[in-house]
Amino acid sequence: MLDALRTFLGMGGYAAFVWPALILTAVVLVSMLVLSLQDLRRAERTLQGMEPADRPRRRRGAA
Amino acid sequence: MANLHRFANPAQFQRLSRALLPWVAGITAILFVLGLYFALFASPPDYQQGDTVRIMYVHVPSAWMSLFCYTFLAVAGAVGLIWRHPLAFMSARAAAPIGAGFTFIVLATGSLWGKPMWGTWWVWDARLTSVLILFFLYLGHIALSRAFDDPARGAKAAAVLALVGAVNVPIIKFSVDWWNTLHQPASVSRLAGPAIDSSMLPPLFLMAFAFMGYFFTLLLIRIRADLASRKVQALRVAALAAAE
Amino acid sequence: MRPKHRRLAYVAGGVALLGAATALVLTAFQDNLVFFYSPTDLVEREVEPGRRFRLGGLVEEGSIERDGATIHFVVTDLAETVPVSYTGVLPDLFREGQGVVTEGVINEQGHFTAATVLARHDENYLPKEVADALKDSGHWQHAEGAEQ
């Protein structure tokens, strides 16, 4: 069982290249997602704080 | 007050994106799980490249996405310049950093793949050089979008850059055919069909679709965030005006 | 004051990046549109001895000889050949029949002394079993081999 894990992690001797490449990809993709979600949450929270006081009049039948 | 009326159209986008986002995000997550399973467990090592071939399953989808995303910037830019649709410039502004991220992944994973297989981290051949240029173009687009007080001017400048730089996309694609390069020719998009064994196609295509889904998920999130912050600004401006 | 400085920074940054990109294009075109010369190119082109350039092709079957720390082999494009000598680390993929790109100088006798040796692989991806089966059945086609 441990042997299989070691083989898997070893990536045929190329572990020093394969794992950094995969991890780097994951880090870039996840950070972009997290940062973008943070921006969205922050903006929506601000918007919610503002709306009741400055709510623009809704037009009937507006899209 | 004219400012606020501009948001009447994006309200449609808000409804659409709110409905789509959970689905696109969900399908993307499933595709990543399946893709990674095939990439790491259910596919064989290559006869000559060994397990380094698994880098292909992130390197190639990133490459495809970096080209797709730049084409998206050029098209969105053209639509914005010609038809002045506000969502066009907004989508370009939202997409550019995502494309830059994909391009960074291509360059970094390519380097990590090149060192053990070619024997070098980098060469200035036509393929690698033109992709590096693409990365700079992305950074230029991001900078230009934010360089002006009037975001509309920045958007137009960035759109022009996207169109001028669009010639780089076919150059990248055909660089391995037009010039002697260290980077090998295309393995998938060729007339003769893929030069990749069928056991290696599932992880490649699953990851490609996962990356595409990721792009659209992130794009929707970023546009929503942009719309929200613009609304905040507009409301603040309106409140100031009303207070006078 | 601050938004103005930030804008200036962004514009300067954007221009600098554009400049870097353009410079790259110009140097790439100026220097070598050709990343490497093939042995046939050398015959046609007459590169002056001592001038550093890149030579690319296949490692000719049966041509590898080890002489202590130095390795001798022949680079071929199936039309012309160039003998090469190299002392140093070789990439994992280096072997007979494999693509190779080597940088160095050629002497008056037409012998190439390499400073770096890179392996070049083709666009085919196969599991070992499939490759072995193709080799056994005689359908194996090497690197760039003969264009179909």
Side-chain angles (χ1 to χ4, degrees):
Chain A
M1 178 67 186
L2 212 56
D3 263 342
L5 183 65
R6 219 171 276 140
T7 313
F8 173 68
L9 290 175
M11 282 293 161
Y14 293 117
F17 302 98
V18 177
W19 289 116
L22 297 177
I23 292 167
L24 176 150
T25 303
V27 167
V28 172
L29 295 181
V30 168
S31 351
M32 284 203 294
L33 181 64
V34 166
L35 289 171
S36 302
L37 280 172
Q38 279 180 344
D39 285 342
L40 179 60
R41 298 271 156 80
R42 200 180 308 128
E44 282 184 340
R45 224 177 294 130
T46 313
L47 209 52
Q48 273 179 347
M50 295 172 76
E51 288 272 36
D54 311 280
R55 182 176 297 269
R57 242 172 277 111
R58 262 178 51 147
R59 290 191 314 208
R60 281 275 169 77
Chain B
M1 262 316 173
N3 268 345
L4 286 179
H5 285 281
R6 281 182 151 262
F7 293 113
N9 204 346
Q12 223 169 8
F13 172 84
Q14 293 283 31
R15 281 211 324 271
L16 198 64
S17 62
R18 171 168 252 120
L20 280 176
L21 207 46
W23 288 101
V24 180
I27 293 173
T28 301
I30 293 172
L31 287 169
F32 266 115
V33 170
L34 285 175
L36 282 172
Y37 168 71
F38 273 91
L40 295 175
F41 301 104
S43 65
D46 182 64
Y47 80 100
Q48 63 175 344
Q49 300 195 51
D51 285 288
T52 66
V53 75
R54 304 187 193 282
I55 299 179
M56 168 173 73
Y57 304 130
V58 292
H59 176 81
V60 172
S62 298
W64 287 344
M65 285 316 300
S66 93
L67 291 181
F68 173 82
C69 197
Y70 197 85
T71 309
F72 181 91
L73 289 187
V75 170
V79 170
L81 287 171
I82 300 170
W83 286 282
R84 311 284 172 106
H85 195 297
L87 215 49
F89 283 150
M90 242 184 271
S91 352
R93 185 193 172 95
I98 311 177
F102 286 136
T103 314
F104 177 77
I105 292 174
V106 181
L107 293 168
T109 57
S111 195
L112 284 162
W113 196 3
K115 180 58 179 168
M117 290 294 99
W118 293 334
T120 182
W121 299 102
W122 183 263
V123 284
W124 294 101
D125 78 355
R127 168 56 65 87
L128 275 70
T129 305
S130 52
V131 173
L132 184 62
I133 290 175
L134 187 75
F135 184 62
F136 286 160
L137 287 171
Y138 270 118
L139 296 181
H141 190 284
I142 293 168
L144 278 177
S145 303
R146 291 151 182 77
F148 299 86
D149 284 335
D150 178 10
R153 282 189 65 195
K156 278 190 207 135
V160 170
L161 176 66
L163 288 168
V164 166
V167 68
N168 199 22
V169 174
I171 288 178
I172 291 173
K173 167 77 186 129
F174 294 111
S175 57
V176 288
D177 301 319
W178 293 344
W179 296 291
N180 283 339
T181 56
L182 182 61
H183 193 291
Q184 72 284 0
S187 296
V188 178
S189 35
R190 0 175 283 166
L191 289 173
I196 302 179
D197 187 73
S198 55
S199 61
M200 297 175 178
L201 290 176
L204 182 60
F205 287 130
L206 282 169
M207 290 300 275
F209 284 121
F211 272 66
M212 181 67 86
Y214 171 86
F215 169 71
F216 280 111
T217 304
L218 205 54
L219 185 70
L220 290 177
I221 291 172
R222 294 182 64 85
I223 297 178
R224 286 179 69 88
D226 198 10
L227 284 171
S229 60
R230 279 169 200 245
K231 197 164 182 190
V232 166
Q233 263 184 302
L235 287 176
R236 281 187 179 144
V237 167
L240 275 173
E244 277 167 15
Chain C
M1 252 323 192
R2 268 217 317 239
K4 187 181 174 187
H5 283 163
R6 192 186 57 196
R7 193 182 82 193
L8 192 65
Y10 276 130
V11 172
V15 169
L17 282 163
L18 265 175
T22 314
L24 272 173
V25 173
L26 291 177
T27 44
F29 281 7
Q30 200 174 58
D31 250 6
N32 35 7
L33 219 65
V34 175
F35 185 65
F36 60 79
Y37 292 129
S38 67
T40 305
D41 286 335
L42 277 193
V43 168
E44 291 170 358
R45 215 170 274 263
E46 286 287 330
V47 180
E48 34 172 279
R51 206 197 97 191
R52 211 177 164 95
F53 68 98
R54 279 190 218 94
L55 171 68
L58 299 174
V59 178
E60 193 174 55
E61 297 280 4
S63 69
I64 293 183
E65 281 168 24
R66 281 165 212 269
D67 175 14
T70 305
I71 186 172
H72 304 289
F73 58 96
V74 172
V75 173
T76 176
D77 57 359
L78 305 179
E80 303 288 342
T81 62
V82 178
V84 177
S85 299
Y86 172 70
T87 312
V89 179
L90 287 166
D92 286 358
L93 288 185
F94 179 85
R95 58 185 180 224
E96 286 169 3
Q98 185 73 12
V100 65
V101 175
T102 169
E103 185 170 347
V105 293
I106 201 164
N107 67 10
E108 263 135 43
Q109 290 73 47
H111 191 97
F112 189 89
T113 305
T116 61
V117 171
L118 301 178
R120 186 167 186 259
H121 62 78
D122 59 24
E123 66 274 26
N124 298 308
Y125 293 89
L126 302 165
K128 191 170 180 303
E129 312 84 67
V130 178
D132 288 343
L134 282 172
K135 283 177 187 155
D136 288 340
S137 71
H139 283 105
W140 187 247
Q141 185 199 309
H142 267 167
E144 293 99 87
E147 293 285 274
Q148 272 173 327

